[in-house]
Amino acid sequence: MLSIVSDVLCGEEVKYFSCGKCKTRMKVVDTIVLHGTGGASAMSSVVHLCNPGTKVAAHTVVGRDGDYYQMVPYVIKAWHAGVSMHQGRANVNDFSIGVEMDNGGQLKRKGNRFFSSFGREYMPNEVYTGIENGRAVYWHAYTAEQVEAVIRLCRLLRVHYGIKYLVRHSDITSRKVDPGPAFPFEEVKKRAGFVY
């Protein structure tokens, strides 16, 4: 059973990592920001986010198998939103929990093959095809296990902290497109209990 104890996620599917560069306690926590990692694996994203030499961090990564990787306690400010705005408030890092989802991001098609920006090939059954400006676009699909894990986590965070808002990274800054059209945001929002 998934739970939160002392601002840390608890459950048999949770792995813990230390991201010591984040130390400032947030005064308000009322928003969850969902991200796609655009990376090769959950572990490679965890290593990057925990690296003391990078200027990025997040609270949790959700793996493709539905496992959770927590790096920062939920009341400590993490550096996941960058220059951002939500509900008339700038610096969304100051009041939000960053949830990263392991995902290769937007893909390029070469013939009948699909590749990430970092050169990994994805099989056609792992590819989401959408239409943008009348043209086909390709994204790494999220897994059913991952989507269910995100719903469970967002529901738990909403209840535990009284979270009001669930947003995508692309909702708070025009610089970003993640988690992208492959992610079923409206379904997740509804099933996690966000009604605004």
Side-chain angles (χ1 to χ4, degrees):
M1 185 72 168
L2 207 59
S3 63
I4 296 172
V5 177
S6 300
D7 305 307
V8 172
L9 194 61
C10 298
E12 61 183 32
E13 63 272 52
V14 184
K15 299 171 180 71
Y16 304 98
F17 297 86
S18 177
C19 185
K21 60 190 172 186
C22 299
K23 298 180 179 170
T24 304
R25 189 176 182 90
M26 293 184 279
K27 293 178 182 167
V28 174
V29 183
D30 66 8
T31 303
I32 300 167
V33 181
L34 298 175
H35 304 260
T37 61
S41 69
M43 270 312 303
S44 69
S45 295
V46 168
V47 168
H48 179 71
L49 292 164
C50 289
N51 183 335
T54 63
K55 294 185 177 179
V56 291
H59 295 89
T60 304
V61 171
V62 180
R64 298 186 64 73
D65 56 1
D67 281 354
Y68 304 96
Y69 303 77
Q70 185 164 7
M71 299 157 288
V72 179
Y74 291 123
V75 295
I76 301 298
K77 176 180 171 180
W79 311 331
H80 58 94
V83 177
S84 51
M85 177 80 68
H86 185 251
Q87 294 290 314
R89 299 174 294 172
N91 303 316
V92 176
N93 285 336
D94 291 345
F95 52 85
S96 67
I97 293 170
V99 175
E100 297 270 358
M101 297 173 287
D102 176 22
N103 185 272
Q106 192 162 8
L107 306 176
K108 296 280 185 198
R109 183 173 181 167
K110 296 178 184 176
N112 289 325
R113 300 171 73 188
F114 301 90
F115 297 89
S116 67
S117 62
F118 47 88
R120 175 175 286 170
E121 182 174 3
Y122 293 93
M123 295 299 102
N125 66 339
E126 298 177 275
V127 177
Y128 171 90
T129 303
I131 302 294
E132 194 174 286
N133 299 321
R135 297 181 61 202
V137 291
Y138 308 100
W139 294 80
H140 189 200
Y142 293 86
T143 68
E145 296 86 356
Q146 189 174 33
V147 170
E148 290 301 318
V150 170
I151 291 167
R152 281 194 308 273
L153 176 60
C154 290
R155 186 184 300 128
L156 178 62
L157 291 169
R158 179 182 60 79
V159 171
H160 190 85
Y161 292 104
I163 300 285
K164 294 180 188 176
Y165 307 108
L166 178 65
V167 297
R168 297 164 289 195
H169 200 186
S170 57
D171 294 327
I172 61 172
T173 177
S174 59
R175 300 174 301 108
K176 299 292 183 177
V177 296
D178 63 304
F183 184 71
F185 179 65
E186 293 302 325
E187 175 193 348
V188 168
K189 188 165 82 166
K190 180 179 179 183
R191 289 184 55 206
F194 291 88
V195 295
Y196 63 93

